[in-house]
């Protein structure tokens, strides 16, 4: 499974490939690849939208750090349409990490809980227990979805800005047609509902791509997890 977004250069779209690695010893997200302020803010929009997903996915950033590379590295990334692939890349990376690393984190947290437990302040203990619970949930999600994502053969082009309150997917003000048209043969393109017409225009000219619409981040993630069928 490959995740791509698109940016706009003049009137033409350009494909941006997303690659992520897990950072075992730190939290937070690092973006590589000349991300503009709009794209860096997109990380915050993505994180808030992830919190709207069913199943408490919002805790994926609590115990884990990520580095996301946007390629090609030498070209500036400017569009808020990269919100959606950022969110999906974070979700994907959270599932593809090793269970061994989760187990090591659980052991470290348990050691902290066991050490001088009587002297430990209530708030500190509560925080450690919350982190432990988040890791347990993460382990369950990895066991449930990792094989499914590993066997997903699709190359996705994901486009849209995210609403931080409800995860709604919105088209950017400029360039949606050009960005959709940048899709390469074999791509599965997912666009906001309001860009349905743009998607239909591109699909009629390029029969080798598939174009689907989605209402929000929840629907896109369900499609990728094969929980629900995509809508044309």
């Amino acid at each position: 499974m490959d995740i791509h977004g698109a940016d706009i250069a003049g009137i033409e779209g350009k494909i941006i490939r997303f690659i992520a690695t897990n950072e075992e010893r730190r939290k937070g997200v690092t973006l590589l690849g000349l991300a503009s302020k709009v794209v860096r803010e997109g990380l915050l929009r993505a994180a808030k939208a992830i919190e709207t997903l069913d199943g408490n996915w919002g805790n994926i950033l609590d115990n884990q750090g990520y580095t996301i590379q946007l390629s090609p590295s030498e070209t500036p990334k400017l569009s808020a349409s990269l919100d959606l692939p950022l969110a999906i890349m974070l979700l994907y990376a959270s599932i593809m990490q090793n269970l061994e690393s989760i187990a090591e984190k659980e052991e470290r947290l348990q050691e902290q809980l066991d050490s001088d437990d009587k002297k430990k302040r209530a708030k500190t203990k509560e925080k450690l227990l919350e982190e432990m619970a988040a890791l347990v949930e993460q382990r369950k999600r990895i066991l449930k979805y990792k094989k499914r994502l590993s066997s997903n053969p699709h190359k996705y082009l994901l486009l849209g800005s995210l609403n931080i309150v409800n995860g709604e997917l919105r088209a950017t003000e400029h360039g949606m047609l050009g960005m959709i048209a940048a899709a390469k043969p074999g791509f599965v393109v997912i666009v906001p509902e309001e860009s349905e017409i743009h998607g239909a225009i591109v699909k009629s000219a390029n029969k080798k791509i598939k174009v689907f619409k989605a209402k929000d981040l929840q629907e896109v993630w369900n499609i990728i997890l094969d929980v629900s069928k995509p809508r044309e």
Side-chain angles (χ1 to χ4, degrees):
M1 175 176 140
D2 293 326
I3 301 296
H4 302 81
D7 210 337
I8 196 73
I11 61 173
E12 295 184 350
K14 55 183 180 181
I15 294 294
I16 308 296
R17 186 179 183 190
F18 285 65
I19 302 172
T21 60
N22 295 300
E23 303 293 343
E24 303 295 342
R25 298 292 180 178
R26 64 175 177 80
K27 301 178 184 179
V29 182
T30 300
L31 273 184
L32 304 178
L34 295 182
S36 67
K37 182 179 180 181
V38 169
V39 177
R40 294 195 303 273
E41 289 176 346
L43 270 178
L44 298 177
R45 291 190 291 272
K48 297 299 291 185
I50 286 171
E51 291 178 2
T52 70
L53 295 177
D54 296 336
N56 197 27
W57 287 88
N59 62 24
I60 65 170
L61 299 178
D62 292 346
N63 295 291
Q64 180 69 47
Y66 306 91
T67 296
I68 299 177
Q69 178 178 323
L70 311 181
S71 299
S73 301
E74 65 274 14
T75 59
K77 317 302 184 298
L78 305 172
S79 178
S81 71
L82 299 177
D83 286 8
L84 178 58
L86 279 173
I88 296 298
M89 194 76 256
L90 286 171
L91 290 163
Y92 176 78
S94 75
I95 294 299
M96 299 310 291
Q97 61 185 298
N98 294 324
L99 283 172
E100 291 80 2
S101 67
I102 297 292
E104 290 174 1
K105 291 174 185 176
E106 288 175 335
E107 289 178 6
R108 289 198 296 269
L109 286 175
Q110 189 61 56
E111 289 174 359
Q112 293 181 55
L113 281 168
D114 293 341
S115 64
D116 298 326
D117 191 57
K118 293 181 180 179
K119 298 179 181 179
K120 200 175 295 296
R121 290 183 299 176
K123 287 187 178 180
T124 301
K125 185 176 180 180
E126 182 180 354
K127 184 175 184 300
L128 291 172
L129 289 171
E130 288 175 355
E131 292 181 8
M132 183 75 78
L135 286 174
V136 171
E137 286 191 22
Q138 186 66 11
R139 175 189 290 275
K140 291 178 180 177
R141 285 195 289 258
I142 292 172
L143 289 170
K144 184 175 182 179
Y145 294 120
K146 187 172 185 178
K147 184 177 181 180
R148 190 178 302 182
L149 288 177
S150 297
S151 61
N152 186 330
H154 296 304
K155 294 181 179 180
Y156 291 99
L157 173 57
L158 307 175
L159 300 170
S161 180
L162 291 168
N163 185 303
I164 65 173
V165 176
N166 56 19
E168 183 181 11
L169 193 58
R170 300 300 305 270
T172 53
E173 187 174 350
H174 302 291
M176 287 300 296
L177 180 60
M179 289 187 284
I180 298 170
K184 298 178 181 179
F187 271 29
V188 175
V189 186
I190 302 179
V191 301
E193 289 179 329
E194 60 190 304
S195 296
E196 179 181 0
I197 295 177
H198 294 141
I201 292 171
V202 174
K203 185 178 178 181
S204 66
N206 186 350
K207 302 298 184 181
K208 294 184 178 181
I209 67 171
K210 297 179 179 179
V211 181
F212 302 110
K213 61 185 177 183
K215 177 183 178 181
D216 52 25
L217 178 60
Q218 182 73 65
E219 184 173 4
V220 177
W221 189 225
N222 285 348
I223 292 169
I224 290 175
L225 291 177
D226 199 24
V227 173
S228 61
K229 299 297 182 183
R231 295 183 292 134
E232 293 188 4

